[in-house]
């Protein structure tokens, strides 16, 4: 790791206490609505899913990214969501775009618009605030642009958290209310900026993903804590 940290690392504003509290409260609500399992840990509040119902396909099912030779006009600020019904495959793809950005070529508005395409259209469950909290603020994005900061991500493993699987086993029918799944993904984010500045860190996150039958998966939100 370099001695000098990236601007995003220095000034992460998307983890503000008010946002965490809001996500925790929403998570609790989703837990009650979807699982109705009173003893489930609050941080896992947000979705449920049969761990055995959707085996994780190989990473090759994730849509390819644009070629390095493509210009900014030819590339998208955020890759398009994959058309898959597998919550783990979708969560891994969503994690990659959440950890990837290029302030040199795209504005924050373009980045935000790209991420919104991943969200579920069901307002009852969508938690855009938890996703937007992953994006640097407009002021920070401008500073990162001046510093030519960009990030790439390599996603590794994805799985259903144990508490989630336990909750589903206790109430198998709960998933049919909203078909929202909790998925924990691990990987590594690499960041670079002008000059020789660069760094990398291992990361993990737990996402809420909606995968209704015969419908492509969509992102519901990001849980406030990582569920093992």
């Amino acid at each position: 790791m370099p001695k000098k940290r990236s601007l995003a690392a220095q000034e992460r504003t998307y983890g503000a206490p008010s946002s965490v509290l809001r996500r925790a409260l929403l998570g609790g609500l989703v837990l009650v609505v979807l699982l109705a399992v009173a003893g489930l840990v609050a941080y896992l509040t947000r979705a449920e899913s049969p761990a055995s119902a959707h085996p994780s396909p190989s990473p090759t099912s994730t849509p390819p990214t644009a070629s390095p030779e493509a210009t900014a006009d030819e590339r998208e600020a955020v890759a398009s969501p994959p058309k898959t019904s597998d919550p783990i495959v979708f969560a891994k793809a969503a994690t990659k775009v959440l950890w990837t950005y290029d302030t040199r070529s795209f504005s924050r508005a373009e980045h935000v618009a790209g991420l919104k395409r991943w969200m579920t259209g069901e307002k009852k469950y969508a938690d855009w605030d938890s996703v937007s909290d992953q994006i640097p603020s407009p002021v920070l994005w401008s500073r990162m642009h001046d510093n030519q900061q960009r990030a790439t991500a390599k996603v590794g493993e994805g799985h259903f958290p144990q508490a989630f699987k336990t909750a589903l086993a206790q109430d198998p029918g709960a998933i049919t209310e909203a078909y929202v799944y909790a998925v924990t993904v691990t990987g590594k984010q690499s960041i670079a900026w002008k000059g020789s500045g660069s760094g990398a860190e291992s990361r993990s996150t737990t996402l809420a993903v909606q995968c209704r039958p015969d419908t492509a998966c969509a992102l519901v939100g990001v849980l406030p804590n990582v569920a093992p």
Side-chain angles (χ1 to χ4, degrees), residues 74-138:
E74 295 172 329
R75 292 184 287 115
E76 296 178 305
V78 176
S80 299
K83 295 186 181 301
T84 178
S85 60
D86 188 316
I88 291 180
V89 170
F90 183 88
K92 291 171 70 173
T95 297
K96 185 171 184 177
V97 299
L98 286 172
W99 292 351
T100 301
Y101 59 81
D102 188 347
T103 65
R104 302 169 304 172
S105 304
F106 303 102
S107 67
R108 184 180 185 277
E110 290 173 319
H111 189 78
V112 167
L115 287 179
K116 283 186 175 180
R117 292 184 299 159
W118 288 71
M119 298 297 296
T120 177
E122 297 185 34
K123 295 182 179 180
K124 179 179 180 181
Y125 303 112
D127 183 10
W128 169 247
D129 284 347
S130 69
V131 176
S132 63
D133 279 348
Q134 311 302 307
I135 309 170
S137 68

Side-chain angles (χ1 to χ4, degrees), residues 164-178:
F164 175 71
K165 293 187 289 185
T166 298
L168 186 71
Q170 294 175 350
D171 187 358
I175 190 65
T176 61
E177 172 67 28

